[in-house]
C-alpha cells in the first residue's frame, strides 16, 4: 500500500479577541481589574509517603490473567468519556498555503537541513486474537528516552531497552504497583535529574512512579486517590497528562463525580522529593465544567502553562490558558475567543472512514479535547517570528468547509504577554489527521506526531502514524512530514474498528534534545485464518541531518 503523497497546513492570522488585558510574562501577579476578567485561585496542599518497589523483569511481555483483562477492558470501555455538547459551530474561512510533500528518510544526504529518520523501532508485544492480550487497538503509547535507555508504555504493556531499542525487557503494570490497573499510562524523562516519571491509571486511583534514567527496574511510587486531591472518594479519574517543570512534576486528570458533572484537575509534585522517595508535599487545584487540561512540554524556567478548549464557555470558539509559578501557591488563567472551529464529541458526525467504506470510521469515538502542549523558546518561524516564547496547544476538529475529513489545529499564544496569535491547521484532502501531539527541541523547533487514514474514491488508507517538523528549514510550504507507519489491512478480516488513539506522544530526545522521539502504532496480523490481528506499537526518532553526530553520540550512552 502506498502513502498519500501530500497533506496541507494552513495558517490563520489571529483575529480572535482576547477577553482580558494581558499580563506580561514573568512580572508580578495581575491587578485586581485584570483578574476580574480572567481568574486566579489558591491551590490546596497535601502530603504523601513514597514506596519503593523492585520490578520483576521478563524477556517477553507478561500475559495478564483473564480477570485482569476483564477489569482492564471494562474500565477502558468507560475511559475517555466526554459529555455531549451542542453541535458544530461555523468555521472561519481558511488561508490555504498549499500542499506539503512527505519527505523520504533522507539518511544518504549530508545537507544539514535534510529530514532524517534516525530509527524506527517496533516493540515486540504482539497480542492474541482481537487484541485481547498485550497490545490494545486503543493503544495510547508513550515514551521517555535517555540516550540509549528507552522506556515505552501503552495498553497494556511496559517495556524498556538499554541498547537504543535493539532488545527489550518488560515490566508488568498489572502487578508492579498493586492491583486494579486499567489503562492510561504516560511517561516523561527529566534530564536535569536523570529520572523517568511514569503515571498509571487504576480503577480507583492514579500512581506516579519514578526511577533513575539508567535503572528502570527500581521504582518509587505515590498513590493518588480522589480523596487525596480533594474529590469525593467515588469520583472517577481519567485521561491523564504529565509534564516536567524546573523543580516540579505536573499531572492533569479529568474528574467525574458519581453524582454527575465533570471537571479537570492539576497536581504539582516536587521532583527532588520524589527522586529521594521521601514523604512529599504537593499542591492541587480543580475546576468544574472543564476537561482535558494539557500541560506544556518545555516549561523549564519556573512557570508551568496548561490549556483547554473544553470549559463552561462556548465550545468551538474559545480557549483558556492557565499558568502557575513554581514558587507560588496561586495560579492564574485567561480566556480567549479564538478562530471558530467545528467542535466534535463522540458520535457527533465526524467521519474518518474512506469513501469506499473499506476503512471504517476510526475517529467515531474521538472528540475535540486538547491533545498536545509545548512551550518553545529560541528560533520561531510560525506565526511571525517573535523574540520570546510561544505557548502552543493542539486539538482535533470535525470535517467541513476546506477539509473533507477531520483534521488537527495548533493554536499559539505569545509568552511575553499571552496574546493569542492565531493558528495553523493540519489537514489532508485525501483523509483524516487526528491526535496531533507536539514537542519542542532545544532550539525551539517543533516536532510532531499524528494518526492518519481514510481515502477518497476507491483509495483507502488504514490508520497509521506520521511524524513531522516545523523549524527554520520549513518557514513556508512544504512542511516536513513523514508517513512513517502506513496502516495494514488484515488479509483475513479487518472488522468494524471505530476507535483509535486516544493519544500519541512526541518528546525531545534527551539529553541533547536536538531531535525528537515519538510513539505510534499500526495494525498487524497473526494466526490467519483465525482472525488474529493486533496493534503493533513503535517509537520513531527523527530530526535533521545536522544532528546526526548528536544522535550517534547519545544512542550509545
Amino acid at each position: 500500500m502506498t502513502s498519500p503523497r501530500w497533506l496541507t497546513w494552513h495558517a490563520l492570522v489571529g483575529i480572535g479577541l482576547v477577553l482580558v488585558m494581558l499580563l506580561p510574562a514573568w512580572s508580578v501577579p495581575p491587578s485586581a481589574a485584570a483578574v476580574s476578567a480572567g481568574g486566579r485561585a489558591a491551590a490546596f496542599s497535601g502530603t504523601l509517603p513514597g514506596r519503593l518497589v523492585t520490578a520483576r523483569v521478563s524477556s517477553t511481555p507478561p500475559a495478564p490473567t483473564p480477570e485482569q483483562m476483564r477489569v482492564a477492558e471494562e474500565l477502558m470501555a468507560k475511559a475517555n468519556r466526554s459529555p455531549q455538547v451542542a453541535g458544530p459551530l461555523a468555521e472561519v474561512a481558511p488561508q490555504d498555503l498549499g500542499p506539503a510533500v512527505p519527505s523520504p528518510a533522507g539518511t544518504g544526504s549530508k545537507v544539514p537541513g535534510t529530514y532524517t529518520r534516525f530509527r524506527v523501532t517496533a516493540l515486540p508485544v504482539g497480542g492474541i486474537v482481537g487484541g485481547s492480550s498485550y497490545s490494545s487497538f486503543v493503544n495510547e503509547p508513550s515514551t521517555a528516552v535517555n540516550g540509549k535507555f528507552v522506556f515505552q508504555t501503552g495498553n497494556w504493556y511496559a517495556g524498556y531497552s538499554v541498547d537504543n531499542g535493539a532488545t527489550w525487557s518488560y515490566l508488568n503494570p498489572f502487578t508492579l504497583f498493586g492491583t486494579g490497573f486499567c489503562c492510561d499510562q504516560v511517561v516523561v524523562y527529566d534530564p536535569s535529574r536523570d529520572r523517568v516519571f511514569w503515571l498509571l491509571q487504576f480503577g480507583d486511583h492514579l500512581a506516579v512512579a519514578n526511577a533513575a534514567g539508567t535503572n528502570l527496574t527500581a521504582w518509587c511510587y505515590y498513590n493518588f486517590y480522589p480523596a487525596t486531591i480533594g474529590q469525593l472518594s467515588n469520583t472517577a479519574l481519567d485521561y491523564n497528562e504529565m509534564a516536567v517543570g524546573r523543580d516540579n512534576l505536573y499531572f492533569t486528570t479529568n474528574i467525574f463525580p458519581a453524582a454527575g458533572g465533570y471537571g479537570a484537575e492539576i497536581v504539582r509534585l516536587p521532583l527532588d522529593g520524589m527522586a529521594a522517595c521521601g514523604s512529599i508535599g504537593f499542591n492541587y487545584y480543580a475546576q468544574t465544567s472543564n476537561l482535558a487540561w494539557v500541560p506544556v512540554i518545555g516549561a523549564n524556567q519556573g512557570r508551568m502553562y496548561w490549556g483547554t478548549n473544553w470549559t463552561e464557555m462556548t465550545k468551538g470558539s474559545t480557549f483558556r490558558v492557565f499558568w502557575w509559578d513554581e514558587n507560588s501557591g496561586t495560579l492564574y488563567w485567561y480566556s480567549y475567543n479564538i478562530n471558530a472551529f467545528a467542535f466534535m464529541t463522540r458520535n457527533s458526525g465526524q467521519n474518518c472512514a474512506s469513501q469506499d467504506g473499506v476503512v471504517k470510521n476510526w475517529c467515531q469515538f474521538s472528540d475535540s479535547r486538547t491533545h498536545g502542549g509545548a512551550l518553545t523558546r529560541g528560533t520561531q518561524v510560525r506565526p511571525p517570528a517573535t523574540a520570546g516564547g510561544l505557548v502552543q496547544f493542539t486539538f482535533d476538529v470535525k470535517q467541513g468547509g476546506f477539509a473533507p475529513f477531520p483534521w488537527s489545529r495548533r493554536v499559539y499564544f505569545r509568552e511575553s504577554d499571552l496574546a493569542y496569535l492565531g493558528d495553523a491547521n493540519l489537514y489532508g484532502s485525501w483523509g483524516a489527521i487526528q491526535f496531533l501531539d507536539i514537542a519542542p527541541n532545544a532550539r525551539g523547533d517543533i516536532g510532531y506526531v499524528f494518526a492518519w487514514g481514510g481515502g477518497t474514491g476507491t483509495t483507502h488508507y488504514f490508520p497509521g502514524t506520521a511524524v513531522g517538523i516545523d523549524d527554520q528549514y520549513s518557514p513556508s510550504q512544504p512542511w516536513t512530514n513523514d508517513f512513517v507507519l502506513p496502516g495494514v489491512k488484515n488479509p483475513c478480516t479487518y472488522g468494524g474498528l471505530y476507535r483509535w488513539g486516544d493519544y500519541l506522544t512526541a518528546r525531545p530526545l534527551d539529553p541533547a534534545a536536538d531531535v525528537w522521539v515519538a510513539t505510534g502504532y499500526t495494525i498487524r496480523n497473526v494466526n490467519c485464518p483465525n482472525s488474529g490481528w493486533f496493534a503493533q506499537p513503535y517509537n520513531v526518532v527523527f530530526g535533521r541531518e545536522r544532528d546526526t553526530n548528536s544522535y550517534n553520540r547519545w544512542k550509545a550512552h
Side-chain angles (χ1 to χ4, degrees):
M1 189 200 77
T2 60
S3 299
R5 296 305 302 163
W6 59 271
L7 54 72
T8 298
W9 280 93
H10 73 264
L12 293 177
V13 177
I15 60 174
L17 173 65
V18 180
L19 298 184
V20 298
M21 186 64 67
L22 294 177
L23 168 75
W26 314 111
S27 63
V28 297
S31 66
V35 170
S36 67
R40 67 178 175 185
F44 299 92
S45 62
T47 59
L48 273 181
R51 305 179 183 184
L52 282 169
V53 63
T54 299
R56 298 181 63 179
V57 179
S58 60
S59 58
T60 58
T65 65
E67 176 61 15
Q68 287 171 338
M69 283 307 308
R70 184 194 68 79
V71 172
E73 290 175 337
E74 179 181 292
L75 291 171
M76 179 173 282
K78 302 176 182 177
N80 290 4
R81 62 202 83 189
S82 59
Q84 298 296 312
V85 299
L89 299 161
E91 296 180 67
V92 174
Q95 177 188 356
D96 191 347
L97 298 183
V101 180
S103 299
T107 54
S109 171
K110 299 301 180 184
V111 178
T114 300
Y115 169 81
T116 303
R117 190 191 306 161
F118 292 103
R119 70 167 170 81
V120 180
T121 302
L123 274 69
V125 291
I128 305 173
V129 175
S132 61
S133 185
Y134 322 123
S135 192
S136 168
F137 299 140
V138 185
N139 206 261
E140 301 177 336
S142 183
T143 192
V145 178
N146 167 31
K148 67 178 182 179
F149 297 91
V150 185
F151 186 53
Q152 183 156 333
T153 62
N155 291 326
W156 295 276
Y157 55 86
Y160 71 89
S161 173
V162 298
D163 52 15
N164 198 39
T167 60
W168 290 84
S169 300
Y170 298 91
L171 312 180
N172 191 342
F174 285 90
T175 60
L176 181 56
F177 305 119
T179 60
F181 168 73
C182 163
C183 32
D184 286 5
Q185 302 179 77
V186 183
V187 294
V188 295
Y189 175 66
D190 174 20
S192 69
R193 293 163 176 82
D194 188 26
R195 305 296 292 185
V196 170
F197 290 91
W198 183 8
L199 174 63
L200 304 90
Q201 181 171 319
F202 289 73
D204 62 353
H205 71 282
L206 304 177
V208 178
N210 76 97
T214 56
N215 181 5
L216 296 168
T217 61
W219 294 88
C220 172
Y221 71 100
Y222 299 83
N223 285 331
F224 288 85
Y225 291 85
T228 311
I229 53 177
Q231 304 300 324
L232 295 176
S233 59
N234 57 0
T235 300
L237 308 177
D238 182 40
Y239 192 75
N240 317 299
E241 296 282 354
M242 184 166 56
V244 173
R246 183 189 63 195
D247 297 316
N248 292 281
L249 181 78
Y250 298 79
F251 76 79
T252 58
T253 185
N254 289 337
I255 53 178
F256 293 92
Y262 60 91
E265 185 148 0
I266 188 165
V267 181
R268 183 174 73 181
L269 317 170
L271 293 169
D272 290 333
M274 288 190 292
C277 203
S279 179
I280 60 169
F282 62 92
N283 303 103
Y284 59 91
Y285 174 74
Q287 283 187 359
T288 58
S289 301
N290 282 225
L291 277 182
W293 284 358
V294 174
V296 298
I297 301 294
N300 57 7
Q301 295 187 11
R303 174 176 288 180
M304 176 54 70
Y305 299 92
W306 67 98
T308 180
N309 62 8
W310 198 314
T311 69
E312 73 284 358
M313 302 180 296
T314 304
K315 312 314 187 278
S317 61
T318 57
F319 202 93
R320 179 169 292 166
V321 177
F322 298 79
W323 73 95
W324 193 356
D325 289 334
E326 296 207 335
N327 60 359
S328 174
T330 302
L331 54 93
Y332 303 86
W333 64 89
Y334 287 134
S335 301
Y336 305 80
N337 286 334
I338 64 172
N339 295 325
F341 66 95
F343 197 97
M344 63 186 188
T345 58
R346 280 190 284 174
N347 302 311
S348 64
Q350 65 270 30
N351 190 2
C352 292
S354 61
Q355 291 180 348
D356 62 7
V358 174
V359 177
K360 305 301 182 183
N361 183 13
W362 53 276
C363 67
Q364 180 173 310
F365 202 85
S366 301
D367 58 41
S368 288
R369 70 183 63 194
T370 307
H371 283 299
L375 172 60
T376 56
R377 295 191 180 96
T379 303
Q380 305 292 340
V381 295
R382 189 179 291 107
T386 175
L390 292 177
V391 181
Q392 311 177 46
F393 299 96
T394 67
F395 49 85
D396 294 334
V397 179
K398 189 175 179 180
Q399 74 275 2
F402 63 89
F405 295 91
W407 47 286
S408 292
R409 168 170 284 184
R410 182 167 136 215
V411 291
Y412 307 90
F413 303 87
R414 185 170 53 216
E415 188 187 17
S416 62
D417 59 1
L418 284 182
Y420 168 55
L421 300 180
D423 49 62
N425 303 315
L426 179 61
Y427 74 98
S429 62
W430 44 264
I433 304 294
Q434 295 282 276
F435 306 116
L436 176 67
D437 192 32
I438 55 178
N441 69 0
R443 296 186 181 95
D445 303 325
I446 283 287
Y448 53 91
V449 62
F450 58 87
W452 59 278
T456 58
T458 58
T459 302
H460 42 265
Y461 304 110
F462 291 95
T465 305
V467 298
I469 300 173
D470 180 19
D471 61 9
Q472 67 266 39
Y473 291 107
S474 56
S476 60
Q477 296 294 328
W479 292 43
T480 300
N481 295 286
D482 179 5
F483 293 85
V484 60
L485 298 178
V488 176
K489 181 180 186 297
N490 181 273
C492 301
T493 176
Y494 195 78
L497 184 60
Y498 296 100
R499 182 174 177 181
W500 198 260
D502 289 308
Y503 51 81
L504 308 174
T505 56
R507 303 280 190 255
L509 186 73
D510 290 309
D514 297 321
V515 299
W516 297 271
V517 58
T519 59
Y521 68 102
T522 186
I523 296 297
R524 298 298 183 206
N525 64 282
V526 294
N527 300 330
C528 280
N530 297 319
S531 299
W533 44 299
F534 65 96
Q536 176 66 70
Y538 291 81
N539 64 67
V540 182
V541 177
F542 60 101
R544 297 292 186 185
E545 172 66 31
R546 65 179 174 178
D547 296 315
T548 299
N549 290 339
S550 176
Y551 168 72
N552 288 337
R553 173 191 176 192
W554 288 108
K555 75 177 183 181
H557 292 84

